[in-house]
Each structure stands twice: as structure tokens, then as C-alpha cells.
Amino acid sequence: MKAADLPLHYNAVDIVERNLPARADKTAIYSAEREITFGALSEEINRHGSGFRDLGVRFGETVALLALDSVEWVGAYFGTIKIGAVALSLNTMLTPDEYRLMLADCRAKVLVCHDMFAETVAALRDDLPELEHVLVIGSDEYRDWLAKASTELETVATHREDICCLNYSSGTTGEPKGIPHAHKDLPLTAQLWGVNVLGLTENDRTFAGAKLFFTFGTGGNLIFPFYVGASCVLLAGSPRDVHNVFGTVDTFKPTVLYNAPTGYAMALAREDLTEKYDLSSLRICVSAGESLPAPIFEHWRERTGLDIVDGIGSTENYHIFLSNRPGDIRPGSSGKPFEGYEVRLVDDDGQDVPAGEVGNLWVKSETASLGYLHQYDKTRTTFRGEWLVTGDKYRMDEDGYYWHSGRSDDMLKVGGIWVSPVEVESTLLGHESVMECAVVGQEDQDGLVKPLAFVKLHEAFEESETQAKALIAHCSDAMASYKRPRWVEFVEELPKTATGKIQRFKLRG
């Protein structure tokens, strides 16, 4: 499927409305708070879109969403898209200063938020003169506004290349960047990965630990299922609580589970996972956000009998562009490129590197953004003609599988040789005591860079010098000695983004 296969004037609300009238009575969304059919959801979308228009929202203006995963989030998101406006998905775990920056950067006209964020938003209003309206989900004002809005709404004939949504990067390397995407990107990614790779059908029911504000969540647990007429399950609570995630699986019986590697690692720490929760409805588990270490894959399969299909994507690309496939999984790798995506591994001069050598990963596709919002210099560095510079280091093996070596600024040069922190972390995770870890570079007494490992242990193990020496010895036995950590620091938690990615830059001295 290519962009040219879509009508020139295409609006991504089609992803919901394509299910009408044939699936009008089918449940579109399951959640502990509310269930809704495709027919009722369509009316909810129309009410939101009509209500935004009544507030004066015009074509191309921004409506921001700062809300828990809910029917209201979905109604506001597609209602915004339907009227030709831009839906901004805000991370619910940021600081007031970050919200101020983002809302000002995109000149949001309307903000829809849950009541738990109302006080935070109220304190920002004086700094945001272009934010004209704040709608608080659950308030009388919100209910009255929605009730008065029309359930009849004509879809704006947007061009398939008009911008429909906006996300800010999760900040693994510092200040977030605004990343806009076009209407065409949503059905393309649904077909190219959701259908062609994962094999989603209308008989599936999806659920994600990744929240809807994250493109992995929006794509996997909203765009993909609706595109094929499947249902999705939403969780308002925290995905960092194992009971929240797997209690939801037990209750609502999804067939597809999306989660980050951290989520699977946290679940494996529960000795009673498969006894306490019924996972029999699942046919496939999916991982993205960062590379899935082979030990987690192997332990998950041993405990549950389920494979995890791992891939890598980015907000800039919306989203997966390298992936393993059901029935074709190389544990520890990110798989291979698939139809619609072309990748290159190049050196710092942009020249292709041979198989087996580590290079900078570039990707070419029709689902890539065209640039960052109001960041000209960073746009020129990242978006180079047809190619998107991902910032990831990879190598390709002789069978064509791609192996993640880390972010470009995470790579370590030890004794003049490049060392991948991901490789060291995967080795550490092979030790029974390690629950999570992150490896960064630190200078020794001679000013030379050596690997430093931050380790979170399973509860059954104690932090000690003996334990640290055991982990270093484990790495020495399992890999080239120069790659081993020279130091181990034990931590209670590792710094992460709200989407579960480890922020190694916060660990560097």
C-alpha cells in the first residue's frame, strides 16, 4: 500500500467511520469505566467535532488532549481530525513547565483535560494567551457542552497530506520536539505493519501498556484495530502496575498485547504471574519503544508459552519500520525491514557500511514526518531528503536481521573500540539476579572511558560488593572482556520516560 492508493482528499476519521454501518453495533472500546459501540462512538466523535467548531476551532488549529485513556480521549482525538484541526496528544506525566512549552509552541486553542490536571492547567493560563478554552472531562461544563453539540457533522475534505496530529518526542535525549503527521500516515502504518506484519483482523481485540498519548499506543491500540474493525481495550490507570495491566488482560480477554520491554520485565518479576492472571486469550505479544533483550524474550516464552514480536519505530516515522514477524523471530534482534520501508546503515560520512559492521540507521518511508515544529536546525540534521536519520546504531547480520547497538550518543569507545551498551545490558539481564539495567560510559582515574552499569536487582537478591563482582564476572565470561562493566551501581529505579524508555543521559556523570 502506498499513499497514492488513498484518495487525494482523505480524512483519517475514515479509520473509525469505515466500520459504519456494518459494525455499528459492535463494541469498539472496552474499559473498566465505559464500553461503547462503533455507532455510539461515531456520535461521540461528531459531538466533539461539532463542539470544537462551536468554540471557533478552524482548519489547521490545534486541540490539545491531556487526559487518561478513555472514550472521551478517543472522541476528542477523532473529532478534532474530522474538522480538519490538529490533535495534540500530551504526555500525562510531564511538568507544568513542559506543558507550558508545548502548548505555546503549537499555539493550542482548546485543551481537553481530565479533572486531575485542571489545577495545573489553570496555573498556566496567564502564560498561554492563545489557549482560549479548557474543557475538563467530568465537569458540568464539559457535559453541558457535549450535550448541546450536534451528532451530525460533515467531514472536512482534507488533503491526504494535511497535518492531522501532533506528538512531542518522549525526551530520551533531552528537550522534546514537536512532530506533526499527516492524515495519510495513519492508514498506511495500520496496513503496512498492523495488517501485513502482525496479521490483525476484525476478530482481534487489542490492549496496550503504552498509553494513547504515545504513538506506539495510538497506533497499536487505536488506529490499527479500528482500521480492520477490531475492538480495543483501554486502561485509565498506570501501566507500571503489573496488576493493572494483567488484571485488564484477565478481565477483558484481548488477543494482542502491546508493551515495552520494561513492562514484560516487571511482569516476569511476579512469580505468580501465570497463576494469578489468565493469559489464554492472547495469541501474540508485541514489544517496541526500545530493543527487547533476548533473555526477556526467552523467559517470557518459558513462563507463558507466548512469543514477543519485537520491532523498532519512532514518533518521527509513525511508527514501526523494522520488525520481527510471527513465526520468524530472531530473539534479541529488531528483525528485518518490511514492505513500505527501506533502511540503510551508513558511516558518519553517509557511506554504506558492510554487513556485520555497526552503522547509523537511516529509514525511508511514506509515513515519515517532514520535520520538527519550529526547530529548523534539528530538522535539517534529522530529515535528509527521502531519508530519516533515526539516531540509532545498528548492525545487520549475514541473514539480514538487524541488531540494535544503542543510540548514537549512547555508544562507548573503550580502548579505541566501539562498545554497544545494549549488548552489555542484554548480557547482564541474562544473570538471574538482574531485573533491569542501563550501561553508560564513565572515565576511570586515567581519564579513559569504561562501561558503568546501573542495576536494579530482583527482590530475592541483596546489593553487595560480592554481587557486583559476580555480575562483572558473568559479563567477562559471556562476552569480550573489554566490554565488561568496570563498575556496578545498584539502584532502586532507573530514570525513564513516561513510555518506559530508559533515559541514559540522566545517568551520565
Side-chain angles (χ1 to χ4, degrees):
M1 181 178 180
K2 297 182 178 180
D5 295 326
L6 295 169
L8 187 64
H9 291 96
Y10 175 84
N11 188 298
V13 76
D14 161 74
I15 287 168
V16 178
E17 294 184 344
R18 61 172 43 212
N19 295 293
L20 306 175
R23 300 187 184 96
D25 295 330
K26 178 178 180 177
T27 300
I29 298 173
Y30 293 88
S31 74
E33 294 75 28
R34 186 180 174 191
E35 295 181 9
I36 192 168
T37 64
F38 278 108
L41 178 60
S42 180
E43 290 191 357
E44 183 109 358
I45 289 168
N46 287 349
R47 285 188 185 278
H48 278 89
S50 298
F52 294 144
R53 184 169 284 173
D54 292 342
L55 293 176
V57 176
R58 296 173 296 180
F59 185 97
E61 292 186 319
T62 302
V63 174
L65 310 178
L66 179 57
L68 305 179
D69 287 7
S70 59
V71 170
E72 291 82 3
W73 195 103
V74 178
Y77 181 81
F78 280 111
T80 300
I81 288 172
K82 187 167 183 175
I83 64 171
V86 178
L88 165 63
S89 306
L90 285 171
N91 184 331
T92 58
M93 302 176 70
L94 300 181
T95 66
D97 284 343
E98 287 170 311
Y99 292 134
R100 182 186 291 109
L101 181 155
M102 294 174 183
L103 292 168
D105 187 48
C106 69
R107 303 185 183 92
K109 186 166 187 173
V110 175
L111 171 64
V112 179
C113 69
H114 265 100
D115 55 6
M116 67 179 64
F117 305 109
E119 187 174 328
T120 297
V121 172
L124 303 177
R125 291 294 297 274
D126 289 344
D127 299 327
L128 300 167
E130 294 182 74
L131 181 60
E132 297 180 6
H133 305 279
V134 175
L135 303 171
V136 180
I137 296 171
S139 67
D140 290 339
E141 179 187 14
Y142 175 82
R143 282 189 286 266
D144 291 344
W145 168 77
L146 204 58
K148 292 175 183 177
S150 174
T151 58
E152 300 294 325
L153 179 64
E154 184 177 350
T155 302
V156 170
T158 49
H159 193 287
R160 64 192 178 206
E161 295 176 10
D162 282 327
I163 300 303
C164 75
C165 60
L166 177 66
N167 293 83
Y168 280 81
S169 62
S170 54
T172 56
T173 56
E175 182 179 306
K177 301 174 287 292
I179 305 168
H181 276 281
H183 288 263
K184 67 175 176 58
D185 298 343
L186 307 191
L188 284 178
T189 188
Q191 180 66 47
L192 295 173
W193 190 56
V195 176
N196 295 358
V197 174
L198 298 183
L200 295 182
T201 74
E202 63 180 313
N203 299 317
D204 279 309
R205 183 180 299 178
T206 66
F207 173 53
K211 310 303 285 184
L212 289 178
F213 63 73
F214 179 29
T215 53
F216 182 40
T218 320
N221 203 35
L222 191 65
I223 304 302
F224 297 179
F226 285 4
Y227 178 80
V228 297
S231 307
C232 68
V233 180
L234 298 183
L235 170 66
S238 171
R240 296 186 179 183
D241 184 318
V242 172
H243 177 70
N244 278 351
V245 174
F246 290 93
T248 300
V249 172
D250 195 333
T251 300
F252 291 103
K253 311 300 181 188
T255 61
V256 180
L257 173 65
Y258 302 91
N259 216 341
T262 298
Y264 291 110
M266 291 172 61
L268 287 168
R270 287 284 299 257
E271 293 185 0
D272 64 347
L273 178 70
T274 54
E275 290 75 28
K276 185 174 179 61
Y277 305 107
D278 179 10
L279 309 183
S280 62
S281 66
L282 294 173
R283 70 170 182 85
I284 191 173
C285 296
V286 184
S287 178
E290 57 184 347
S291 59
L292 179 75
I296 294 179
F297 174 91
E298 300 291 357
H299 294 160
W300 184 259
R301 183 162 60 181
E302 290 170 8
R303 291 278 300 279
T304 68
L306 293 163
D307 285 342
I308 303 175
V309 175
D310 187 35
I312 182 175
S314 68
T315 306
E316 287 86 346
N317 196 72
Y318 213 110
H319 46 73
I320 303 298
F321 50 82
L322 272 177
S323 183
N324 286 275
R325 296 158 173 76
D328 181 14
I329 295 175
R330 186 69 59 92
S333 81
S334 297
K336 301 175 180 179
F338 48 91
E339 180 188 354
Y341 298 89
E342 183 179 341
V343 302
R344 293 176 63 194
L345 294 181
V346 304
D347 60 22
D348 291 341
D349 295 321
Q351 300 301 308
D352 293 320
V353 302
E357 290 191 13
V358 173
N360 303 298
L361 182 69
W362 291 14
V363 59
K364 180 168 68 172
S365 77
E366 290 190 300
T367 61
S369 177
L370 293 180
Y372 296 122
L373 186 64
H374 304 144
Q375 298 207 32
Y376 178 74
D377 288 338
K378 289 182 179 178
T379 293
R380 291 200 305 166
T381 301
T382 302
F383 301 88
R384 303 188 188 182
E386 296 181 300
W387 295 93
L388 166 66
V389 179
T390 68
D392 290 289
K393 293 278 191 179
Y394 265 83
R395 65 175 175 85
M396 184 185 74
D397 68 20
E398 60 184 11
D399 296 322
Y401 292 88
Y402 284 74
W403 299 81
H404 193 221
S405 296
R407 296 287 296 174
S408 297
D409 50 3
D410 289 335
M411 292 291 289
L412 314 177
K413 205 159 197 179
V414 179
I417 305 173
W418 285 113
V419 172
S420 162
V422 173
E423 182 184 359
V424 183
E425 290 162 6
S426 183
T427 301
L428 283 166
L429 286 166
H431 194 279
E432 61 178 351
S433 68
V434 179
M435 180 176 178
E436 291 183 313
C437 61
V439 172
V440 300
Q442 176 167 289
E443 292 185 354
D444 63 12
Q445 68 274 16
D446 298 318
L448 301 174
V449 173
K450 299 291 189 297
L452 161 64
F454 291 86
V455 174
K456 177 180 179 179
L457 295 173
H458 287 292
E459 291 182 357
F461 295 85
E462 294 185 1
E463 301 175 4
S464 67
E465 184 176 349
T466 300
Q467 183 65 48
K469 288 180 178 178
L471 293 177
I472 294 171
H474 168 75
C475 290
S476 295
D477 292 340
M479 62 199 312
S481 181
Y482 71 89
K483 298 179 181 180
R484 75 190 188 283
R486 302 309 196 273
W487 312 275
V488 171
E489 290 190 18
F490 296 108
V491 294
E492 293 297 318
E493 295 293 339
L494 293 168
K496 297 171 187 161
T497 68
T499 55
K501 297 180 183 179
I502 294 172
Q503 295 173 306
R504 293 182 183 85
F505 74 93
K506 290 188 175 180
L507 296 171
R508 298 185 189 112

